[in-house]
Amino acid sequence: MAGFEAGAAPPMPEEASAGAGKSAEPKEAWDEIVDITSTEEFEIDIEPAPAVTPPPMPRPPDIDTRAKGPPDKDAPPKPKPKPTPKPSPPPTRRRLDEDDALKQAREAAKEFQHTEHGFVRHKVTSVRKPWGPMIREWWDDLAPLRAHLAQVGLEVLQWLAAVLVFGLQVAGRGLKALGLKTGASLTAMGTRVKARRRRAAEIRTQRAQVKSEQRAQRAADRKAQREAKKETKQSQQDAKKEAKRAEKDAKREAKRAEKEAMQAVLEAPLKASPEPEIDEAAPWGDHPVGAPWDEELVEPPPVPQPARSAAATFEPSVEEVGALDFAAPAAEVPLVEVTPPPVRRRRRRLGPLLRRFRYVPVVLLLVGLAVVYGPGLIGMIGGLTEELPSQLPEVQAPSLPRVSLPRVTIRTPSFVETGVSRIAEMFSGPLFEESGEWLLLADVEIVGPEGESVPATADGATVATLGVLLEADLIQARYFHVVPRERALIAQRRTAGSRSEALPLANALSLAGAAGYTGVLGSRITRYEAVDSVSVQVFNAAGDTLYGVAAEVSEESSTLETLAGLTREVRRRLGEPRDDVEASLPPRQALSTSESALDAYAQARLHYYAGRYPQAIAAARQAVARDSTFALAYRLLAVAHALNGQRTSARNALETAWRFSERLTERERLRVLADRHAWDGRDSEAALTYDDLFYSHRDDVGALKSQALLQRTIGVRGGGEGNLRVAYTIDPYDWPPLSRIARYLGYRGALPDVDSLVAALQEQPQ
């Protein structure tokens, strides 16, 4: 529709305009339609037309904005029509009833809201908050306050504990001053609580230190891991970059080579083929140009090749091969003789060949051993089988004597012997099947070349020194118990009536059968051609050999060191874990590195066991004079001084032993510490330390007896009778003697009758 502005209402005819004068709304109308395309200058006169209310037009369908063209910038904005108010429907009876019902419902809802049930419903249904995150946030905000309250609570508990200890001590001293035994008990209880508080504080400090060290170690490990990951990642990135760079360089080189090849092809001179000669006298139809259907191929002239010898060897390039004309006669193609390069054969090395056939020398060795020793071994076994019936005793019922077969000794190489022993240990298990078995130590035997007894070894070690070293190493074991030297002598005196200070292997076997010990350890040093060899064997109570190990004394080591090494093997074979064996203190370090000091200490022990205390004091002084850090010799000197009545000297020797206590084993260190507490008057702490000593070493009955005497001194209910019963149940031979422990600790009270106590324990049913 042309002739009016786009977006405006179309003009209406005059009849419609005249008929619409009754409308209230004015409407614009065009008086004249001018064709704007026919002239450049025109005028439009617009007069207001009577208002006409057009009928409502249907809404055009929505058109996608992408399908519309760009808007006309010069067109005026389209006026928005005024909203036409919707006529209200006439009121009816039904509508009036609905309005009244709605009003009544609103009023009822308002009244219900102000009631109790309406308020509760509103309160319950309107609160919808995430209580879980809010509570956790409040709990985190209260973290400083909680930590402060915990610290305050801990301080209050510590203060109450201190008040309790002080109250117990004050009440105990008051009741003790009145002559009541309850006072001593309260004082001892206060002392125990104080000691336990101190120990708990030390444990807490140690745990905090350990935790801090662990945290620092974990932080260092995490930092190291992060650094390692960072370095690994950086190296991977660098490797990837290098690979990408190399790939790019390779592609670049390939492209460059391709470009150079193309450039060489383009720059090569083009050779125009010779035009065919046209015979002008020939007719037009006979010319080659005029015969397209019977076109004949024109063969290019052969390219002249340079003269080469028949024996020349070369590799033609791709361009040269492509330039050959295979349609030419065979005589024109040059013949090339290609000589293949010589093939080099790899020589096989000798190492892989030996590794491949490495089992051949072993097979040859086994075959040789079978050939050399086989006939003799077969003959020996056959002879034993033939002689066995004649050697068996006659068996008469009902007695069945034990049959002992003759022993056969076959000398085999050391590696075979070691392998067989390892396999036997693997399948047989430990010698002591259960922990807590007793092992008796026999005296070390030193035998000369002719079988005679020798007082010392080639390097000067005596029997007493070797026995001290053997006992100091084996007594550290916790899987089994070792019968100390003095206890074995007391048991020998009680069972066999012998007052000898020696314990050879025969006497030790008989004592083990009488006292019920599980095993006996025998050691022998044999001298042959100025070379000593050490052997250690384990026997059962019947005398059968359970295990044996031997070694020669080399030039670099001594007899004491060789014996100590074999003792470690025996401990592992008896059943003690390997970690415990390796963690134990070497015997030379626990005793002394000076052999002369060890000899003097061994003599001091012999005098001490026999009750010769002045001689024991003199020998112990010689030991500490030769080794000023010999802590165990200082402890023996303190005990000898105390039993000899010289308590001041004993106190000084005990303090010196504690000064060098880092050289003692765990058992002896706890014993020296408990002795110091007892000598300083800290009876409760001494009793607790003796209890720790017995808890870690269940065979130490001396610790139980010392604790019982301290309980009698403190005034504990029962007077330590329970500890004495346990001690004499473990060892009925009264070792160490209760009277000697009382003299050493300075106990002046009455002692129980040991014989009656042991008899009562033996009468009790097991």
Side-chain angles (χ1 to χ4, degrees):
M1 295 175 63
F4 60 92
E5 187 174 342
M12 300 180 62
E14 293 179 359
E15 294 83 7
S17 300
K22 299 178 182 181
S23 179
E25 294 183 1
K27 193 70 177 178
E28 296 180 359
W30 296 91
D31 290 341
E32 183 180 3
I33 298 175
V34 181
D35 187 5
I36 62 176
T37 61
S38 61
T39 179
E40 295 181 358
E41 297 180 0
F42 59 90
E43 294 181 1
I44 300 175
D45 295 333
I46 301 174
E47 293 181 1
V52 178
T53 303
M57 299 293 291
R59 183 179 177 183
D62 295 337
I63 302 176
D64 191 4
T65 56
R66 293 175 294 180
K68 295 180 181 180
D72 192 0
K73 298 182 179 179
D74 298 336
K78 182 178 179 181
K80 295 181 180 179
K82 296 182 178 180
T84 305
K86 295 181 181 180
S88 59
T92 58
R93 181 67 180 175
R94 183 179 179 182
R95 187 176 297 279
L96 293 176
D97 293 342
E98 291 179 356
D99 293 343
D100 294 340
L102 289 174
K103 289 180 181 180
Q104 292 177 5
R106 291 193 188 97
E107 293 176 359
K110 289 182 180 179
E111 293 177 0
F112 179 76
Q113 183 179 1
H114 295 291
T115 61
E116 180 180 359
H117 298 286
F119 175 73
V120 171
R121 181 178 179 279
H122 171 74
K123 186 175 182 180
V124 171
T125 58
S126 62
V127 178
R128 298 191 181 188
K129 299 180 180 180
W131 288 107
M134 294 177 62
I135 293 175
R136 285 194 296 269
E137 184 178 356
W138 294 343
W139 184 258
D140 295 338
D141 293 340
L142 294 177
L145 180 60
R146 289 188 288 107
H148 179 68
L149 292 177
Q151 185 67 23
V152 171
L154 183 61
E155 293 178 357
V156 170
L157 290 177
Q158 292 179 355
W159 181 77
L160 291 176
V163 171
L164 177 62
V165 171
F166 181 74
L168 289 175
Q169 290 181 351
V170 171
R173 291 179 181 177
L175 295 176
K176 190 174 182 179
L178 295 177
L180 299 177
K181 293 184 178 180
T182 310
S185 301
L186 291 177
T187 305
M189 186 183 300
T191 306
R192 286 196 299 272
V193 172
K194 186 177 179 181
R196 289 178 180 176
R197 285 183 61 245
R198 186 185 302 108
R199 187 182 301 173
E202 294 177 356
I203 292 174
R204 285 196 300 271
T205 305
Q206 293 177 358
R207 288 179 179 176
Q209 185 178 0
V210 170
K211 287 183 178 179
S212 62
E213 293 177 356
Q214 291 177 353
R215 284 195 296 269
Q217 183 64 27
R218 286 196 295 269
D221 294 342
R222 287 195 297 269
K223 184 177 179 182
Q225 291 178 0
R226 287 196 299 269
E227 293 292 337
K229 289 182 179 179
K230 187 175 180 181
E231 292 179 358
T232 305
K233 187 175 181 180
Q234 185 66 27
S235 61
Q236 292 178 356
Q237 291 179 356
D238 295 343
K240 289 182 179 179
K241 289 181 180 179
E242 291 293 336
K244 289 182 179 180
R245 189 180 297 107
E247 185 177 0
K248 288 181 180 180
D249 294 343
K251 289 182 178 180
R252 192 180 297 110
E253 290 293 335
K255 288 182 179 181
R256 186 179 61 80
E258 185 178 357
K259 288 181 180 180
E260 290 180 356
M262 293 177 63
Q263 188 69 20
V265 171
L266 293 176
E267 292 179 357
L270 299 177
K271 297 181 179 180
S273 59
E275 298 180 357
E277 297 180 359
I278 300 175
D279 190 3
E280 296 179 358
W284 181 257
D286 296 340
H287 286 205
V289 180
W293 304 105
D294 299 330
E295 184 178 0
E296 296 181 0
L297 296 176
V298 179
E299 296 179 0
V303 180
Q305 299 292 338
R308 296 186 181 180
S309 61
T313 303
F314 70 100
E315 295 181 1
S317 60
V318 178
E319 291 79 8
E320 294 177 357
V321 174
L324 294 175
D325 189 4
F326 293 95
E332 297 181 359
V333 179
L335 299 178
V336 179
E337 182 181 355
V338 180
T339 304
V343 180
R344 295 182 179 180
R345 296 182 179 179
R346 292 186 59 183
R347 295 182 180 179
R348 294 186 178 181
R349 297 182 180 179
L350 187 60
L353 191 62
L354 293 178
R355 285 195 298 270
R356 183 176 181 181
F357 299 99
R358 60 183 178 276
Y359 56 87
V360 174
V362 180
V363 173
L364 294 177
L365 179 62
L366 293 178
V367 171
L369 292 176
V371 171
V372 174
Y373 296 102
L377 184 61
I378 294 173
M380 186 182 300
I381 295 174
L384 292 176
T385 309
E386 294 175 358
E387 297 176 1
L388 184 60
S390 61
Q391 293 182 3
L392 292 177
E394 296 182 359
V395 181
Q396 297 179 359
S399 63
L400 296 175
R402 182 170 57 89
V403 179
S404 61
L405 299 178
R407 298 179 180 180
V408 180
T409 303
I410 303 175
R411 299 185 62 86
T412 57
S414 59
F415 69 91
V416 176
E417 190 173 320
T418 305
V420 172
S421 61
R422 293 283 177 85
I423 296 173
E425 292 176 13
M426 188 190 313
F427 287 99
S428 62
L431 298 179
F432 290 168
E433 297 181 356
E434 298 180 358
S435 61
E437 302 289 348
W438 288 92
L439 180 67
L440 180 62
L441 304 182
D443 290 343
V444 181
E445 300 178 2
I446 304 177
V447 181
E450 303 296 334
E452 73 280 4
S453 178
V454 180
T457 61
D459 51 5
T462 60
V463 174
T465 305
L466 295 172
V468 169
L469 182 73
L470 197 63
E471 182 179 344
D473 193 7
L474 291 173
I475 206 169
Q476 300 183 57
R478 298 187 181 183
Y479 183 77
F480 58 90
H481 304 322
V482 176
V483 182
R485 172 74 178 183
E486 185 182 9
R487 177 181 174 181
L489 295 178
I490 294 175
Q492 183 182 8
R493 191 179 307 122
R494 295 285 184 87
T495 56
S498 174
R499 304 188 63 86
S500 174
E501 297 181 3
L503 187 63
L505 181 59
N507 296 350
L509 291 174
S510 60
L511 177 60
Y517 300 140
T518 306
V520 178
L521 184 72
S523 306
R524 172 176 292 186
I525 300 175
T526 306
R527 183 181 302 173
Y528 180 75
E529 295 182 357
V531 177
D532 292 341
S533 61
V534 183
S535 62
V536 180
Q537 291 179 322
V538 181
F539 305 91
N540 58 7
D544 299 329
T545 304
L546 302 179
Y547 177 72
V549 62
E552 292 184 356
V553 180
S554 61
E555 298 180 356
E556 294 79 10
S557 62
S558 61
T559 307
L560 298 177
E561 295 175 355
T562 307
L563 180 61
L566 297 180
T567 307
R568 296 297 176 97
E569 296 292 336
V570 172
R571 289 173 59 181
R572 285 194 291 267
R573 191 67 184 89
L574 290 176
E576 188 177 3
R578 183 179 296 271
D579 296 339
D580 296 347
V581 175
E582 294 177 355
S584 61
L585 203 64
R588 295 294 299 272
Q589 183 178 350
L591 295 171
S592 176
T593 56
S594 174
E595 296 184 2
S596 60
L598 281 176
D599 294 339
Y601 175 73
Q603 295 298 324
R605 282 210 329 167
L606 293 177
H607 293 305
Y608 171 73
Y609 294 156
R612 300 185 292 269
Y613 301 124
Q615 291 84 347
I617 292 172
R621 284 179 177 175
Q622 291 180 4
V624 298
R626 295 168 183 174
D627 186 359
S628 59
T629 61
F630 200 166
L632 206 58
Y634 280 113
R635 202 262 172 184
L636 179 62
L637 184 61
V639 176
H641 274 304
L643 298 179
N644 201 32
Q646 305 167 355
R647 301 194 65 83
T648 303
S649 302
R651 177 63 180 272
N652 296 333
L654 187 62
E655 291 296 330
T656 308
W658 176 250
R659 190 187 310 163
F660 302 108
S661 60
E662 69 274 359
R663 295 189 54 182
L664 296 174
T665 61
E666 181 185 3
R667 179 196 293 250
E668 298 301 331
R669 189 183 302 110
L670 287 175
R671 194 188 312 278
V672 173
L673 178 61
D675 293 348
R676 288 183 70 249
H677 289 329
W679 279 67
D680 292 342
R682 300 190 294 269
D683 297 338
S684 300
E685 296 181 9
L688 292 175
T689 308
Y690 282 126
D691 185 67
D692 294 340
L693 174 58
F694 179 74
Y695 182 80
S696 58
H697 300 277
R698 291 292 185 176
D699 60 329
D700 202 323
V701 294
L704 277 179
K705 294 179 181 179
S706 302
Q707 186 182 15
L709 293 178
L710 291 174
Q711 290 174 349
R712 284 175 172 269
T713 304
I714 296 171
V716 179
R717 181 181 301 178
E721 184 177 355
N723 288 338
L724 291 177
R725 288 178 176 273
V726 174
Y728 286 109
T729 302
I730 298 174
D731 179 25
Y733 300 110
D734 192 21
W735 178 89
L738 186 61
S739 58
R740 191 173 71 188
I741 296 177
R743 288 176 58 190
Y744 174 67
L745 296 178
Y747 178 76
R748 295 180 177 84
L751 296 176
D753 188 6
V754 176
D755 296 335
S756 61
L757 182 60
V758 173
L761 291 175
Q762 291 178 353
E763 292 176 0
Q764 291 181 358
Q766 298 294 332

